[in-house]
């Protein structure tokens, strides 16, 4: 599977649709063969799934030209059987990798296409023959269903980036992050926690998967945080929030960034450029949390010796590969071409040193892990294609925004709140890319009709879908973090939401402040709004932790919450009264903190002198 995709990236062996057939065929075979190898229970059914996957793959490839030309009008009984089998295999493979929620939504979608003509009111659809429905969903090759644009994103864009994520670990780049964490610990009181924020975010930008990223980096960041004094639930929460920030950090950002490009038609280079500023804000917010928490708990870091030689020698593994990715994207290369050279670069850079040179076994293990990650994305995109075709093909994509618009009227704030809520609810049981896609198809167009710009509307949905990984009661990233830290799950989830609070504030800033689109047409206003956003992040995080220059009293914490909320009101209304009130509250709070800090310092001085 890996060799085929690497060769295709350079030679384009066949058309895009034929490539999608190979892509999904390999993915289904791999998932069911790995399932058979992992657990011998129900081996007969699993073996049948393997044989059916191979049969469907071969049949579709041999019949491709006929199905593409005449499939919608001259489908035979074997064609329809293969179509039904492909749908069932895709749903089962998705269930094995991501649980029952997404396949259940797909099944409901399929049922809706059949029963839609008999439903009342706005839910009623035009009647369609069952064979036409199956062709639309599976073997029609008409840019819809399983072989729609969503699977194309996986086949053309994502697979080799998943391989790159696996090679980062195989080629020893994780040791670079380990040494970088030790170096950061020498300079900052928050030490390992701040290192976790930075390194987990960087690795997460490559993998694009919050849950998987927690398991990759959390195995060494969480124990380090616990050793210096962070509580287990805090260590798990910090790692969960840092890893969840990975998919919003350019230049890769996981599959959702490619979906934004595919849906909006905006270039990938522009998408990652727009994503840069909010990503920096999020990293700042998480870094402030760990710094404030370290000061509040009076944490004294345990300094570990930094191996500067390893830090320098291993830095090209990640930074060199990352630089190549950025240069190629700026040069206008396709994502397929960029991902190929990223994989080639990290392997080539690792070869000169024995310490980083992967053995053949390690390299093959990396290929297997990359193919496994890529297969998971492939079957998810195939299932998403079914859901999206139902929404668009039945007219539901037009009717639902109309209903939501009727409920919200011209109240943009209410519409944003509803969009955020829907994204979070969907994100509880779906991958972030899946919940973003559904919201992007259904509600994002309505936001645009209300005057919201194209990219902010889509980033709004994407951010809330992504940060649903931190929202209890089903916070997937926090669940993994809690397991690694040996902490209570619910407490870890609630703390993770505090660490990643910026992830829930930034989408609104995106909508209300043009500066996030790099719009500096009015430089004074833009710079002022940028400073306001920074102030909101700082004071909000201080209020959540309960520490700024010194401990915050209850009244100070209330002010620390009120000030940012009022300033957000200014961004929404552009009313200078909100700006004055919010600035005054925060100014008074800061003034009082300075006085308290001086008193504490003055009281400590005699004790220090007495101790001497």
């Amino acid at each position: 599977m890996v060799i085929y995709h690497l060769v295709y990236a350079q030679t384009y062996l066949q058309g895009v649709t034929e490539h999608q057939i190979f892509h999904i065929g390999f993915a289904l075979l791999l998932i069911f063969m790995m399932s058979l190898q992992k657990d011998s229970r129900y081996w007969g059914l699993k073996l049948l799934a393997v044989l059916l996957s191979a049969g469907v793959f071969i049949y579709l490839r041999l019949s491709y030209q006929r199905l593409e030309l005449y499939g919608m009008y001259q489908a035979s009984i074997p064609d329809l059987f293969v179509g039904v089998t492909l749908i069932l295999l895709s749903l089962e493979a998705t269930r094995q990798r991501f649980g029952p929620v997404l396949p259940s939504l797909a099944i409901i979608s399929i049922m809706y296409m059949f029963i839609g003509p008999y439903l009342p009111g706005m839910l009623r659809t035009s009647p369609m023959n069952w064979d036409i429905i199956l062709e639309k969903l599976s073997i029609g090759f008409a840019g819809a269903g399983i072989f729609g644009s969503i699977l194309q994103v996986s086949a053309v864009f994502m697979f080799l980036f998943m391989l790159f994520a696996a090679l980062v670990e195989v080629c020893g780049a994780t040791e670079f992050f380990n040494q970088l964490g030790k170096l950061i610990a020498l300079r900052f009181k928050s030490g390992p926690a701040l290192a976790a924020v930075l390194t987990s975010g960087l690795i997460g930008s490559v993998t694009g998967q919050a849950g998987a990223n927690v398991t990759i980096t959390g195995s060494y960041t969480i124990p380090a945080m616990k050793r210096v004094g962070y509580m287990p639930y805090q260590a798990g929460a910090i790692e969960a929030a840092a890893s969840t920030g990975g998919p919003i950090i350019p230049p890769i950002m996981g599959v959702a960034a490619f979906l934004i490009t595919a849906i909006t038609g905006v270039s990938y280079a522009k998408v990652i450029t727009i994503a840069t500023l909010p990503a920096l804000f999020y990293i700042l917010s998480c870094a402030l949390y760990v710094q404030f928490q370290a000061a509040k708990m009076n944490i004294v870091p345990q300094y570990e010796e930094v191996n500067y030689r390893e830090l320098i020698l291993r830095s090209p593994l990640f930074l060199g590969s990352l630089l190549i990715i950025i240069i190629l994207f700026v040069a206008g290369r396709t994502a397929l071409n960029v991902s190929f050279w990223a994989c080639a670069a990290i392997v080539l850079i690792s070869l000169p040193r024995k310490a980083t040179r992967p053995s053949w076994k390690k390299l093959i293990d990396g290929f297997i892990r990359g193919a496994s990650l890529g297969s998971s994305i492939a079957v998810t995109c195939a299932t998403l294609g079914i859901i999206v075709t139902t929404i668009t093909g039945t007219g539901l994509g037009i009717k639902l925004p109309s209903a939501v618009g009727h409920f919200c009227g011209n109240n943009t704030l209410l519409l944003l709140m509803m969009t955020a809520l829907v994204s979070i609810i969907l994100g509880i049981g779906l991958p972030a890319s899946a919940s973003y896609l559904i919201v992007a198809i259904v509600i994002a167009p309505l936001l645009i009709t209300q005057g919201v710009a194209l990219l902010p509307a889509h980033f709004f949905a994407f951010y809330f879908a992504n940060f649903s990984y931190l929202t209890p009661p089903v916070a997937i990233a926090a669940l993994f973090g809690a397991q690694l830290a040996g902490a209570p799950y619910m407490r870890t989830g609630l703390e993770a939401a505090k660490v990643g609070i910026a992830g829930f504030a930034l989408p609104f800033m995106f909508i209300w402040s043009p500066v996030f689109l790099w719009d500096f047409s009015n430089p004074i206003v833009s710079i002022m709004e940028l400073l306001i956003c920074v102030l909101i992040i700082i004071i909000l995080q201080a209020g959540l932790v309960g520490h700024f220059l010194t401990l915050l009293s209850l009244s100070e914490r209330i002010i620390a919450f009120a000030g940012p909320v009022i300033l957000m009101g200014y961004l929404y209304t552009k009313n200078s009264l909100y700006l004055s009130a919010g600035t005054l509250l925060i100014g008074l709070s800061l003034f009082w903190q300075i006085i308290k800090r001086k008193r504490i310092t003055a009281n400590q001085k005699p004790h220090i002198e007495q101790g001497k």
Side-chain angles (χ1 to χ4, degrees), residues 195-268:
V197 169
L198 298 177
T199 59
S200 298
L202 287 172
I203 294 177
S205 84
V206 177
T207 65
Q209 296 186 352
N213 193 49
V214 173
T215 61
I216 292 171
T217 58
S219 57
Y220 61 85
T221 61
I222 289 175
M225 286 187 275
K226 289 169 67 177
R227 279 199 303 271
V228 299
Y230 286 95
M231 301 297 290
Y233 74 92
Q234 291 172 334
I238 292 166
E239 176 57 43
S243 294
T244 303
I248 71 166
I249 298 175
I252 298 174
M253 298 173 62
V255 68
F258 297 101
L259 289 175
I260 293 172
T261 299
I263 293 172
T264 63
V266 177
S267 69
Y268 188 81

Side-chain angles (χ1 to χ4, degrees), residues 94-251:
T94 305
R95 185 198 66 80
Q96 289 190 17
R97 289 301 173 99
F98 291 102
V101 176
L102 187 55
S104 298
L105 281 176
I107 291 169
I108 293 170
S109 300
I110 296 169
M111 291 174 61
Y112 177 66
M113 295 189 82
F114 283 99
I115 67 174
Y118 309 103
L119 295 176
M122 65 166 287
L123 294 176
R124 180 175 294 171
T125 65
S126 301
M128 283 187 286
N129 295 331
W130 68 275
D131 53 339
I132 297 295
I133 292 174
L134 291 176
E135 289 160 10
K136 277 181 174 290
L137 296 179
S138 56
I139 59 171
F141 298 126
I146 288 175
F147 293 102
S149 59
I150 310 304
L151 184 63
Q152 184 178 332
V153 168
S154 173
V156 177
F157 297 148
M158 278 310 300
F159 181 82
L160 291 183
F161 273 121
M162 292 298 100
L163 176 62
F164 175 66
L167 292 176
V168 166
E169 189 174 2
V170 168
C171 294
T174 50
E175 180 59 24
F176 161 70
F177 293 112
N178 189 25
Q179 297 301 327
L180 180 62
K182 292 178 182 178
L183 179 63
I184 293 170
L186 296 177
R187 303 288 183 268
F188 296 93
K189 195 171 187 178
S190 53
L194 185 57
V197 169
L198 298 177
T199 59
S200 298
L202 287 172
I203 294 177
S205 84
V206 177
T207 65
Q209 296 186 352
N213 193 49
V214 173
T215 61
I216 292 171
T217 58
S219 57
Y220 61 85
T221 61
I222 289 175
M225 286 187 275
K226 289 169 67 177
R227 279 199 303 271
V228 299
Y230 286 95
M231 301 297 290
Y233 74 92
Q234 291 172 334
I238 292 166
E239 176 57 43
S243 294
T244 303
I248 71 166
I249 298 175

Side-chain angles (χ1 to χ4, degrees), residues 329-593:
F329 269 131
V330 171
R333 297 293 186 90
T334 64
L336 187 63
N337 186 267
V338 172
S339 58
F340 173 87
W341 287 111
C343 294
I346 195 165
V347 173
L348 290 173
I349 293 170
S350 71
L351 292 179
R353 290 191 70 215
K354 186 177 180 180
T356 58
R357 186 187 309 136
S359 64
W360 282 108
K361 184 180 183 305
K362 270 193 170 184
L363 195 61
I364 292 171
D365 285 344
F367 283 177
I368 291 170
R369 173 156 175 75
S372 179
L373 288 171
S375 297
S376 300
I377 297 293
V379 295
T380 305
C381 288
T383 303
L384 280 171
I386 294 172
I387 297 172
V388 170
T389 298
T390 302
I391 293 172
T392 56
T394 60
L396 199 60
I398 299 172
K399 294 174 184 177
L400 282 178
S402 177
V404 173
H406 180 73
F407 174 76
C408 296
N410 293 323
N411 192 328
T412 306
L413 182 59
L414 181 60
L415 181 59
L416 290 172
M417 293 291 189
M418 179 170 285
T419 304
L421 182 62
V422 170
S423 300
I424 288 174
I425 291 172
L426 288 173
I428 286 174
L430 299 179
S433 55
S435 53
Y436 154 68
L437 186 63
I438 294 171
V439 175
I441 294 293
V442 175
I443 300 181
L446 191 58
L447 287 173
I448 294 168
T449 62
Q450 293 284 344
V452 177
L454 177 66
L455 277 180
H458 283 269
F459 269 102
F460 188 89
F462 168 48
Y463 266 54
F464 275 105
N466 183 66
F467 287 103
S468 64
Y469 279 81
L470 296 181
T471 51
V474 186
I476 302 298
L479 175 62
F480 290 136
Q483 288 175 340
L484 289 172
Y489 160 60
M490 188 57 68
R491 191 171 188 185
T492 303
L494 292 171
E495 196 69 19
K498 287 168 59 178
V499 183
I501 189 65
F504 305 100
L506 282 167
F508 291 97
M509 294 180 183
F510 241 119
I511 301 292
W512 297 334
S513 181
V515 71
F516 283 92
L517 294 175
W518 298 97
D519 180 0
F520 286 90
S521 54
N522 189 333
I524 296 175
V525 173
S526 298
I527 293 172
M528 183 183 70
E529 289 192 357
L530 189 63
L531 293 174
I532 288 171
C533 292
V534 172
L535 193 60
I536 288 171
I537 296 296
I538 295 172
I539 301 302
L540 185 60
Q541 200 59 271
L544 286 170
V545 174
H547 192 283
F548 187 41
L549 300 179
T550 184
L551 285 173
L552 296 175
S553 64
L554 178 60
S555 59
E556 287 176 305
R557 293 186 77 169
I558 293 172
I559 292 173
F561 289 123
V565 170
I566 294 172
L567 288 179
M568 288 290 286
Y570 164 75
L571 294 178
Y572 175 50
T573 63
K574 308 302 180 186
N575 188 326
S576 58
L577 288 176
Y578 286 100
L579 176 61
S580 302
T583 307
L584 180 62
L585 276 177
I586 292 173
L588 289 173
S589 179
L590 179 59
F591 177 72
W592 183 242
Q593 278 281 292

